[in-house]
Amino acid sequence: MKTKQFAVIGMGRFGSSVAMSLYKLGYEVLAIDSSEQRMQDVSGMVTHAVQADSTDEEALRALGIRNFDVVVVAIGQDIQSSILTTLILKDMGVPLLVVKAQTDLHGKVLKKIGADKVIFPERDMGLRVAHNLISPNILDFIELSDDYSIVELKAAPSMIGQTLRALDIRAKFGCNVMALKTGDKMNISPNADDLIKADDILIVVGENDQLRHLERAYGEAGR
């Protein structure tokens, strides 16, 4: 399976957090910012770091931006640049365009001009967003420590109709299903013979490396 490629534009606190989180998870990441200093700060923590003006269409074309699977626009206070960059990228045919919004009104404008997903950094931490970009089935991601985390995983199509015993997540990935959510009901001690239904949510705990394998197995396959 080809590794998904991400481009992140804007290396402020939020953008750099998303870019570095994706890189640590094993993905190819192109970081772009107009500031030379910011690019130097992140250069060793992403695949490629390039100083460029994201409102310059020719510069973006030269970087091959349309070939990336996901582009995240994380430009800071400059709302005009954020909107113009979004318009350019949408016109270029970027497959999935995720844009950071400063305000609700900014978010509405971004949606109207074609942003596939709008993110409000006050509500979405960079690491959580990174996991959601990798797998749309990951609804939430909570770090317990440097080594362990909890994820909320929406049941992938390949899970539906199977029991927890048949999925055998513990044996295959080394993770534990600690709860199963069906609608508003939370089963905090799921039985091995419980059937997974459409729209069920699995609450899984494990080491970060193990969870990464789980995300890839059920996340990208479910796209």
Side-chain angles (χ1 to χ4, degrees), residues 24-27 131 207-217:
K24 286 177 183 175
L25 290 164
Y27 291 85
H131 280 268
E207 290 187 23
N208 293 332
D209 284 347
Q210 297 165 335
L211 290 171
R212 184 168 70 244
H213 293 314
L214 177 71
E215 288 177 22
R216 285 180 170 170

Side-chain angles (χ1 to χ4, degrees), residues 141-213:
F141 180 91
I142 303 162
E143 272 191 295
L144 298 176
S145 68
D146 288 343
D147 300 316
Y148 288 87
S149 301
I150 295 172
V151 297
E152 286 191 3
L153 176 67
K154 183 180 177 183
S158 58
M159 291 180 169
I160 296 168
Q162 295 203 59
T163 63
L164 289 174
R165 189 193 306 278
L167 290 176
D168 209 3
I169 286 173
R170 181 178 174 82
K172 291 176 183 174
F173 303 101
C175 306
N176 288 315
V177 178
M178 54 187 288
L180 191 61
K181 189 175 181 182
T182 304
D184 295 328
K185 295 180 180 178
M186 178 76 81
N187 179 358
I188 58 171
S189 55
N191 189 286
D193 293 317
D194 284 343
L195 276 176
I196 305 297
K197 297 180 285 296
D199 298 325
D200 274 1
I201 296 168
L202 288 75
I203 316 298
V204 186
V205 63
E207 290 187 23
N208 293 332
D209 284 347
Q210 297 165 335
L211 290 171
R212 184 168 70 244
H213 293 314

Side-chain angles (χ1 to χ4, degrees), residues 76-113:
Q77 299 297 320
D78 191 344
I79 290 177
Q80 185 175 335
S81 291
S82 164
I83 291 170
L84 184 53
T85 300
T86 302
L87 280 168
I88 291 170
L89 292 169
K90 192 65 184 177
D91 189 54
M92 290 171 67
V94 168
L96 181 61
L97 184 56
V98 180
V99 190
K100 165 189 166 182
Q102 293 295 113
T103 64
D104 286 337
L105 181 59
H106 183 201
K108 287 177 183 176
V109 172
L110 293 171
K111 273 288 188 185
K112 281 188 178 295
I113 63 175

